[in-house]
Amino acid sequence: MKTILNKRTIVIAGAAFLIALIAIISVNVFNTAGPVTGAANVLTRPARELASRIARAFGDVFAAMYEYEQLSNRNEVLLARVAELEGAYRDAIYLNYENERLRSQLGFRARHAALESEMANFVSWGSDNWSHSFIIDRGYTNSAIAQGMGVTTDHGLLIGQVFEVGPTTSTVITIIDTKFSVAAFVGRGEGDSSVTARGDFLYMRSGLLMLDRIDDELTIIPGDSVVTSGLGGVLPAALVIGEVYEVFPHASGIGRFATVRPMLDLNNISSVFVLIDFENPG
Amino acid sequence: MKRWALIVSISLHALFLIVVYIFQAAIFPFMRLDGLVPLLLPVATAGVALYEGRYVGGIMGLFAGILCDISFNAPAGTFTVLLTLMGLGIGILSETVFLPGFVTYLLTSAGALMICAFVQMMPFMIMPINPVPMIMLLTTAGWQTLYSMILAVPIWFFVRALGKRAEKQSQTRRKPEERRAR
């Protein structure tokens, strides 16, 4: 036992516990990543950025090769479907209506004049399989970013929320992460359409999130859009989360839940906007 | 091991861990298999500890743990403590019980990955609201371990090469001392 627990072994283990303790205190008291984690983040950032760019460039080349073949196959299928679609005039009218509605939602910026946002660049993905997060190049020393702030595209499509703030980088959890939860509106404004949109472990890997507590009287069908309600004041209202993908009855037999497909491809994020300040319209 | 040899060994292994970290944090997240990313740093830590013993294993575990904590969205400090203890533990076992080799490396890597997966599962197991089915957690943990184990094979060549280098270095340093003693 004495040979196992010698001075050096105890010093190494002690250092690990000390660093962990500092990180825990820092995260819980100051809401920041802690000095050791912060310093490691700063030091490794250039290497991560470079590697991410290289990986993305390779990914684009492979995607282009794959997509060319896919597009060629799809073209054949689409040519056959053109004939069918010509007869589906009624559907086209509905799509036109849907398009108009989405366009009005994308006019988000015009409706939120008091919105103050800060642009940030994507650095790298979080690399664990138990959350869905990424790192941006803004922290508490080079921006006004704070924990809980919303992260969107410039059109008001919600990407996620700031989870942890470091000196020059911050971690953002996406809308499909299990820690994400926000009050939302769904459907076409009939009855009480307020629901809770949250990430769920079951659907995270499929790139979907979940709508919980759907009112029995609410008519909800796949394709309905889901937007933030602004309730609670954490995020501004009318940020587009996604559209309803499937609706299911609860396993308990009481109520329903639905899966939501995000409006944007969460795997193709390059620059984002962090919502520093906002005012929800009356 | 002499102090300078220890410093050189630690520096080389640290460089190796940084390369592994870059693959884990910046390259593999773009090449997900069924939405999964492999865990490489615990495998590298297990390998280094197996071939280098408790001190280099412990220090490299500490370093790898810090890198894991910044690339995972996990509770603060978890991997710093876990990988340090893992490095020390595997190092002690390799000095006393284990015979370093490919099979032992695969077994210790699998063990390290399973412990990591269990620790990553913990917050979901104790979550009071929206509990996740255990089968779902075990499936994710299993695939994560399997995917990482495939990549443990190429990592082994580097770990063994670094281990052999350190062994050779300590032997050449020992020779003049032995001669003098004679």
Side-chain angles (χ1 to χ4, degrees), chain B residues 6-150:
Chain B
L6 187 72
I7 292 167
V8 171
S9 176
I10 285 173
S11 308
L12 282 174
H13 281 96
L15 200 68
F16 165 66
L17 284 187
I18 288 171
V19 174
V20 172
Y21 164 71
I22 287 168
F23 270 90
Q24 182 181 292
I27 293 175
F28 280 106
F30 287 97
M31 302 171 192
R32 288 172 186 262
L33 266 190
D34 193 25
L36 291 172
V37 184
L39 283 192
L40 304 180
L41 282 167
V43 174
T45 305
V48 170
L50 186 71
Y51 282 93
E52 297 291 321
R54 76 180 88 170
Y55 302 129
V56 179
I59 293 166
M60 287 303 109
L62 178 71
F63 186 51
I66 294 170
L67 292 177
C68 267
D69 274 334
I70 62 171
S71 71
F72 295 167
N73 192 4
T78 314
F79 277 85
T80 306
V81 173
L82 182 69
L83 292 192
T84 307
L85 295 181
M86 221 177 249
L88 288 170
I90 295 170
I92 289 168
L93 287 174
S94 84
E95 287 169 11
T96 52
V97 188
F98 287 170
L99 192 69
F102 184 63
V103 177
T104 324
Y105 164 78
L106 284 184
L107 291 174
T108 48
S109 298
L113 286 168
M114 279 189 243
I115 294 169
C116 287
F118 180 73
V119 168
Q120 288 180 304
M121 272 165 66
M122 291 269 274
F124 295 92
M125 285 158 74
I126 55 172
M127 206 150 57
I129 46 163
N130 307 321
V132 182
M134 187 51 115
I135 188 75
M136 189 70 202
L137 295 176
L138 288 173
T139 309
T140 305
W143 283 116
Q144 173 182 289
T145 306
L146 199 70
Y147 185 14
S148 311
M149 280 307 288
I150 296 167

Side-chain angles (χ1 to χ4, degrees), chain A residues 11-124:
Chain A
V11 166
I12 294 167
F17 278 107
L18 187 69
I19 291 168
L21 192 70
I22 292 169
I24 291 164
I25 293 170
S26 187
V27 166
N28 290 297
V29 179
F30 305 107
N31 281 334
T32 62
V36 180
T37 314
N41 249 326
V42 172
L43 291 172
T44 56
R45 191 181 129 188
R48 268 183 295 158
E49 273 179 341
L50 183 71
S52 282
R53 273 183 204 158
I54 293 167
R56 186 170 270 185
F58 271 108
D60 287 347
V61 171
F62 285 119
M65 282 159 66
Y66 176 68
E67 265 172 26
Y68 177 78
E69 208 179 306
Q70 258 199 334
L71 282 173
S72 164
N73 292 339
R74 243 171 70 188
N75 196 31
E76 295 290 319
V77 178
L78 285 173
L79 280 173
R81 281 194 67 194
V82 164
E84 286 175 42
L85 289 170
E86 278 174 351
Y89 181 63
R90 211 177 295 163
D91 284 353
I93 292 170
Y94 175 74
L95 285 173
N96 193 32
Y97 158 75
E98 186 78 5
N99 196 20
E100 288 300 318
R101 193 164 53 83
L102 290 173
R103 274 177 193 277
S104 71
Q105 279 170 353
L106 292 175
F108 167 79
R109 276 190 166 270
R111 288 194 286 125
H112 285 79
L115 187 85
E116 194 188 317
S117 64
E118 201 169 314
M119 198 183 144
N121 292 311
F122 171 92
V123 175
S124 65

